[in-house]
Amino acid sequence: LFLDEDDFVDLPHPRKDRKKFLSRLTSLVKDEKMQWNPVKKKMMPWINLRKLTSMYGGGEHSAYRWREHPTSVQKARHSPGPLRHTYPPTQDPLATAKGNSLMSVIQKWSHGPPYYDKMYSLQRLLVTVPLAFPPINKEVEPHTYFTKWKFIYQETFEEEDGDALRDLLVRAMRKAKYFLDPIKFPKDFNKKQVLLLKTIGNIIRDREEATLG
């Protein structure tokens, strides 16, 4: 990724010396021009060093090891698309669900443990909507319509606040509402498929009103 005038830059291996690796990488990033980020729609560095450090730690005494960030939910569930959320498997709302009714699954997706009475943030709901879809959700039959969901990535909202975060949430909700509009539902949807999407739509609209007003 980074080049000198004549050769590749030699970076220390992160597993051998993470501290030196990050120090050298920081210097290289500062020397590079800012790049347009089409997701956040602004100029940003090649590498988000703050995010890198928060995910993997910044030194030899860090609480984190240098490893791939957890995406085992995606791999284990075989979700229809690139679910790039980074919630640990222990926080997978379906993995901790007790009871297998459709409404129970939805409750576990939308509300946090242990009592599932506090709704997750709007950001998290938008990112994890596909976790409530079949084939992950065994209570609802699969349908090709579910694969048409436009994935919203967790990275979109990270390090944003104020008006910038609000703008991102408004745009994400616009996409979600389009997909969740009953007028768009296929004519061959069964009752459970309709109920699932209508309930998800009601939940995220309620959360939108509480979050954005």
Side-chain angles (χ1 to χ4, degrees):
L1 179 62
F2 296 103
L3 296 173
D4 281 325
E5 292 183 0
D6 301 317
D7 204 355
F8 286 100
V9 171
D10 184 22
L11 281 171
H13 197 290
R15 294 193 183 202
K16 294 180 179 179
D17 195 330
R18 189 184 311 114
K19 190 174 182 179
K20 287 185 179 180
F21 170 81
L22 288 172
S23 176
R24 179 67 174 129
L25 184 62
T26 299
S27 297
L28 290 170
V29 170
K30 288 181 178 179
D31 290 339
E32 292 291 322
K33 294 180 180 179
M34 301 283 276
Q35 302 295 318
W36 177 252
N37 185 322
V39 176
K40 295 184 179 293
K41 299 187 182 300
K42 64 181 182 181
M43 300 297 288
M44 296 185 68
W46 271 103
I47 296 174
N48 188 328
L49 293 168
R50 185 164 66 175
K51 178 181 175 184
L52 186 69
T53 303
S54 68
M55 289 172 60
Y56 302 113
E60 57 187 355
H61 300 296
S62 170
Y64 295 90
R65 293 181 179 274
W66 188 270
R67 55 180 171 77
E68 293 184 4
H69 210 58
T71 54
S72 57
V73 173
Q74 174 188 346
K75 295 177 182 178
R77 301 284 185 177
H78 303 290
S79 177
L83 268 185
R84 289 168 52 193
H85 60 84
T86 54
Y87 301 119
T90 54
Q91 294 180 13
D92 175 3
L94 302 186
T96 56
K98 293 182 179 180
N100 58 0
S101 70
L102 175 56
M103 298 314 293
S104 175
V105 171
I106 295 174
Q107 184 76 9
K108 276 31 174 206
W109 159 72
S110 60
H111 293 68
Y115 303 111
Y116 300 101
D117 57 352
K118 184 177 181 180
M119 190 178 293
Y120 284 123
S121 68
L122 181 58
Q123 295 98 304
R124 173 161 177 156
L125 292 177
L126 289 167
V127 169
T128 61
V129 163
L131 288 176
F133 291 169
I136 300 173
N137 183 349
K138 304 298 183 183
E139 292 299 305
V140 178
E141 292 181 19
H143 193 286
T144 55
Y145 186 73
F146 293 106
T147 66
K148 297 180 181 179
W149 169 263
K150 301 296 183 182
F151 285 89
I152 300 169
Y153 301 126
Q154 180 181 342
E155 290 87 344
T156 302
F157 305 112
E158 290 179 349
E159 301 183 13
E160 299 289 356
D161 55 21
D163 291 341
L165 177 59
R166 181 183 181 86
D167 181 60
L168 289 171
L169 288 171
V170 168
R171 283 189 281 149
M173 279 299 304
R174 191 179 300 125
K175 293 180 181 180
K177 287 177 180 178
Y178 182 86
F179 179 88
L180 296 168
D181 184 349
I183 296 177
K184 306 292 191 305
F185 294 172
K187 293 182 179 180
D188 59 347
F189 252 15
N190 61 36
K191 291 182 179 180
K192 276 195 172 183
Q193 290 165 337
V194 171
L195 177 61
L196 171 65
L197 293 191
K198 282 188 174 181
T199 305
I200 289 175
N202 290 337
I203 288 171
I204 64 172
R205 278 191 292 270
D206 287 345
R207 199 69 180 98
E208 176 194 26
E209 183 176 352
T211 303
L212 304 178

